[in-house]
Amino acid sequence: MSQEGARQQPVPADEDTELFHVIDPQVFERRLLDELCDLTTRVRTLAKSYAGARFLQELLPNRRAMFYFTQPSTRTFLSFNNACHILGIRTSEIRDRSTSSEVKGESFDDSIRTFSSYVDVIVMRAREPGRAAQAARLMDTIDRPVPVINAGSGSDQHPTQALLDIYTLDRSFSERGGIDGKVIGMMGDLKRGRTVRSLCYLMKNYADVRLVFIAPGQFAMQNDVKGHLEEHGISFSETERLHTVLPELDALYVTRMQSEWDTADECRTVDLRRFSVGTRELGMLKPDGIIMHPLPRGPELDPAVDMDPRAMYWRQERNGMWMRVAVLLKIFRLESRIQCLDPEAFAAQDGDKPWE
Ligand code: CP
């Protein structure tokens, strides 16, 4: 296909920012985060044109992805699935162990090794913490290793959610100096919320960020994350009073109570009204403050908030698809094919926009 207007020489791959497995957010450095954010924006822009979408579709038709989601998911599953389709990657899935040979006694390791015989990347979500890391370690010992992407393991980590959250913050603050120097509130079940935990691990990459944890005492942020923040000199405070801190926040990241991890109905003991956002709270938020939520939501986020331009969560979930395209491009080392392009040149090829 013609690439009129595109530079002819691809940018050489940067070995310092190569990606293979995506297991923990701790390994992401600022350079890679900035590159992923830039790549995400480029892909989004490119995909708006028919010619650009066709170009993306033809990048990876020779690759296959396996989705092994044994814990429920809507948006992580769908956004990865659609990210693959955008790049021409074919997909297969197991979403219930009862339909796999694990019910016949096949071990987890043998199952993962079997997936790797057929595909080029494994995207997995498991209820048990550490499963994605276990799969990645196994891959590192075999002749044909394929990358493993952690799409949420236990209540511990959700690294690609953290990447899309960084992208959403970065874009939201693009006219205000980016994420550096911002005050970010995180509210809800911070003890068992893997999204906020993973996001905290990325904060070391941004200067002068201040975090405010707003949670009931029994669901406070855990010491492993707080220790990491202290180690990296990231300022944080803790409170149970949302209304006291709300006016100083640039972003409020709301999370639901993670009742699926309850062992004795612990969530029922919480007065959720104190950790919720509705129209009253919008009145206390800065005019340019934003509300984020990884979704799905519960009663902590009133649907009436959706109409406010500061509600960023629907954009946030859509950003997830584009960021996951960027992650796949990095894993398959095709980022330079995008970085050297001019999306406007693709838009110009569209002519009469045949899909309209
Ligand atoms: N944010 C998120 O992980 O959503 P799902 O559980 O629907 O994938």
Side-chain angles (χ1 to χ4, degrees):
M1 154 192 159
S2 156
Q3 291 177 26
E4 195 183 335
R7 289 212 307 268
Q8 296 304 306
Q9 293 300 319
V11 177
D14 184 344
E15 288 182 13
D16 289 347
T17 63
E18 279 180 7
L19 266 189
F20 192 66
H21 302 305
V22 179
I23 304 300
D24 295 315
Q26 287 90 321
V27 300
F28 285 87
E29 300 291 344
R30 177 69 180 258
R31 196 156 153 228
L32 178 53
L33 293 173
D34 287 347
E35 187 187 338
L36 282 167
C37 288
D38 175 69
L39 197 54
T40 302
T41 299
R42 286 173 183 272
V43 167
R44 289 176 70 216
T45 312
L46 200 55
K48 283 183 184 154
S49 71
Y50 184 84
R54 282 285 302 274
F55 173 83
L56 289 167
Q57 278 251 303
E58 289 167 9
L59 283 177
L60 288 165
N62 56 336
R63 299 290 188 172
R64 292 176 297 280
M66 171 71 199
F67 294 100
Y68 181 53
F69 276 61
T70 54
Q71 200 192 25
S73 166
T74 297
R75 64 222 84 233
T76 310
F77 176 83
L78 285 176
S79 60
F80 260 121
N81 204 24
N82 282 288
C84 286
H85 296 164
I86 286 165
L87 293 171
I89 301 174
R90 288 162 210 274
T91 60
S92 48
E93 67 190 58
I94 288 178
R95 299 200 68 178
D96 182 344
R97 275 201 189 101
S98 69
T99 64
S100 86
S101 284
E102 284 179 272
V103 288
K104 295 181 246 171
E106 185 162 52
S107 69
F108 173 78
D109 278 11
D110 283 359
S111 297
I112 295 292
R113 184 151 188 173
T114 300
F115 304 154
S116 76
S117 297
Y118 305 130
V119 302
D120 304 289
V121 58
I122 297 170
V123 184
M124 60 176 289
R125 170 177 286 194
R127 185 174 172 81
E128 307 81 12
R131 280 300 208 191
Q134 182 182 343
R137 281 195 301 274
L138 171 70
M139 286 298 108
D140 291 341
T141 66
I142 68 174
D143 287 343
R144 187 182 176 278
V146 305
V148 175
I149 302 178
N150 179 0
S153 60
S155 58
D156 190 26
Q157 295 283 11
H158 196 347
T160 61
Q161 174 76 41
L163 295 176
L164 76 91
D165 292 339
I166 286 292
Y167 181 70
T168 303
L169 287 165
D170 193 52
R171 277 187 73 75
S172 301
F173 300 140
S174 61
E175 306 291 315
R176 298 165 55 200
I179 299 172
D180 298 326
K182 297 299 178 294
V183 183
I184 300 171
M186 297 183 181
M187 182 168 80
D189 187 345
L190 305 183
K191 177 181 178 183
R192 306 175 298 181
R194 57 192 170 198
T195 62
V196 274
R197 289 173 51 80
S198 286
L199 186 54
C200 282
Y201 282 114
L202 293 185
M203 285 300 156
K204 68 170 194 267
N205 293 291
Y206 300 91
D208 304 322
V209 165
R210 186 155 63 82
L211 302 179
V212 182
F213 297 138
I214 308 142
Q218 68 271 43
F219 296 108
M221 187 57 83
Q222 294 293 279
N223 286 336
D224 56 344
V225 173
K226 290 195 277 189
H228 170 90
L229 296 174
E230 280 163 357
E231 189 186 323
H232 291 277
I234 301 160
S235 168
F236 67 88
S237 57
E238 297 179 273
T239 182
E240 295 196 15
R241 294 169 174 269
L242 171 63
H243 289 184
T244 307
V245 295
L246 190 49
E248 67 189 86
L249 303 181
D250 295 298
L252 175 60
Y253 192 112
V254 186
T255 67
R256 67 182 171 86
M257 299 307 293
Q258 306 277 317
S259 54
E260 65 269 37
W261 304 108
D262 277 4
T263 51
D265 259 355
E266 293 92 323
C267 287
R268 280 186 184 273
T269 62
V270 175
D271 177 6
L272 249 188
R273 288 168 302 182
R274 297 169 56 216
F275 304 95
S276 300
V277 174
T279 49
R280 182 171 173 221
E281 285 70 28
L282 282 178
M284 301 177 190
L285 184 68
K286 286 180 178 178
D288 54 1
I290 61 167
I291 304 285
M292 293 173 65
H293 194 304
L295 304 175
R297 71 173 141 199
E300 73 285 345
L301 182 56
D302 186 338
V305 176
D306 295 7
M307 301 304 289
D308 193 286
R310 295 167 295 177
M312 213 51 66
Y313 32 93
W314 297 114
R315 277 186 236 180
Q316 184 184 352
E317 75 169 9
R318 188 164 167 78
N319 287 343
M321 178 175 73
W322 299 118
M323 174 52 86
R324 285 161 176 142
V325 171
V327 167
L328 290 163
L329 285 169
K330 280 296 293 177
I331 286 175
F332 291 114
R333 300 185 186 186
L334 286 181
E335 66 274 24
S336 64
R337 297 282 303 276
I338 306 296
Q339 287 159 341
C340 68
L341 296 176
D342 174 8
E344 298 302 325
F346 280 88
Q349 289 177 40
D350 275 5
D352 290 337
K353 295 189 172 57
W355 64 91
E356 285 184 350

